[in-house]
């Protein structure tokens, strides 16, 4: 069994984690930075697994591994902000993926009246209440009910195969 | 409260479904076609909500509204195939979103030894066993454990704001 390009695989065999990662690296996703206040401190991390679940009620979900350093803040948070990054905001995505720094020190964000930090000039953000953290293997599917939102004007930043991309629309 | 570009919103107000949809229309996503055999018949529909949940074990999730015509097949299926569409496969995405036609009649697919249809020349596919259908509002988060996979060579097809896009990598 192999996940190299063009090679079919034995459908009776169980896929291993490296083959699984190889497939998903090719799958594009918009980049979000998820922020919160946790014990009076700002926290934030990038996520490429944000999806709309339902519009009525407005529900959003993302996945997070419970072994990552941001998990305790997500586990404790009642409310999270999903900041959708815009074209050109690669530096912000990289900064929020960097360990051992104050990810908020370089600025480019402001606090909401309710305290949570939001990223300036992003493509939009959604503030949501955490309604569920569904166990799935060593990860959790975190489900939020959207409470408020802002839509920016930027086009989105896209991540695929360890690199940042922008979108080009097909001619009709 | 408004989700028009550039206008902030009152964070104390509950977002409505149209404002929520307006935000998510701007969020890019790879396009998949999810296929299955249901009661001896091939079924398939497009999905832009496929995410990796965990690599060990290899878990995938997507959301589906229980009011859509494909839901009964997903509710009944033990096994589903996630076909990640490639650049240029807009016609396939459109065909699998069309009601009242045989979505498989135009070809461009083949059956796996286990019976499920897979899309030819796509960016890759994953066959998975359904392990959970988590209720979330009127939708379900369907969680699959990947069993086998194939990685194609194509670049991905991306959907955003009611249109198809391709990716352009940023220069390093």
């Amino acid at each position: 069994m192999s996940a190299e390009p063009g090679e079919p695989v034995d459908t009776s065999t169980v896929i291993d984690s490296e083959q699984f990662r190889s497939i998903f690296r090719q799958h594009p996703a918009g980049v979000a930075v998820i922020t919160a206040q946790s014990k009076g401190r700002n926290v934030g991390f990038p996520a490429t697994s944000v999806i709309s679940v339902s519009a009525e009620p407005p529900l959003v979900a993302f996945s997070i591994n419970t072994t990552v350093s941001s998990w305790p803040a997500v586990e404790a948070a009642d409310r999270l902000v999903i900041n959708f990054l815009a074209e050109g905001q690669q530096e912000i995505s990289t900064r929020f993926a960097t360990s051992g720094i104050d990810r908020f020190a370089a600025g480019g964000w402001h606090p909401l009246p309710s305290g949570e930090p939001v990223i300036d000039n992003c493509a939009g953000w959604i503030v949501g209440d955490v309604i569920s953290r569904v166990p799935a293997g060593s990860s959790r599917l975190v489900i939020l009910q959207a409470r408020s939102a802002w839509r920016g004007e930027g086009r989105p930043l896209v991540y695929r195969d360890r690199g940042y991309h922008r979108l080009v629309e097909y001619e009709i």
Side-chain angles (χ1 to χ4, degrees), chain A:
Chain A
M1 175 165 172
S2 165
E4 288 306 299
E7 292 186 31
V9 294
D10 177 355
T11 58
S12 65
T13 317
V14 172
I15 188 173
D16 73 26
S17 61
E18 188 40 51
Q19 291 159 341
F20 182 81
R21 287 193 181 96
S22 156
I23 299 278
F24 262 101
R25 268 201 295 274
Q26 309 305 313
H27 188 52
V31 182
V33 165
I34 297 178
T35 54
Q37 278 218 315
S38 179
K39 300 172 186 167
R41 199 169 62 86
N42 289 330
V43 295
F45 58 93
T48 56
S49 65
V50 176
I51 56 172
S52 168
V53 175
S54 153
E56 295 184 61
L59 301 179
V60 189
F62 67 92
S63 68
I64 180 170
N65 198 291
T66 57
T67 63
V68 301
S69 62
S70 301
W71 168 246
V74 172
E75 187 176 26
D78 295 323
R79 177 170 282 215
L80 296 169
V81 184
I82 296 173
N83 302 267
F84 298 102
L85 294 191
E87 233 180 58
Q89 293 190 313
Q90 300 92 310
E91 180 275 326
I92 295 175
S93 173
T94 302
R95 196 204 315 165
F96 278 89
T98 304
S99 297
I101 63 164
D102 176 353
R103 296 170 181 178
F104 293 88
W109 59 276
H110 67 274
L112 292 176
S114 48
E116 295 84 5
V118 294
I119 307 289
D120 295 338
N121 304 312
C122 66
W125 48 255
I126 291 174
V127 181
D129 292 338
V130 178
I131 58 169
S132 187
R133 299 174 187 86
V134 180
S138 59
S139 294
R140 297 291 181 275
L141 274 165
V142 181
I143 305 176
L144 307 175
Q145 178 150 4
R147 293 300 177 188
S148 60
W150 171 81
R151 204 182 97 193
E153 295 183 16
R155 291 170 61 85
L157 181 65
V158 182
Y159 195 73
R160 174 185 177 261
D161 199 15
R162 300 167 173 156
Y164 294 104
H165 297 70
R166 60 189 177 81
L167 294 177
V168 176
E169 195 159 5
Y170 280 101
E171 302 295 329
I172 305 298

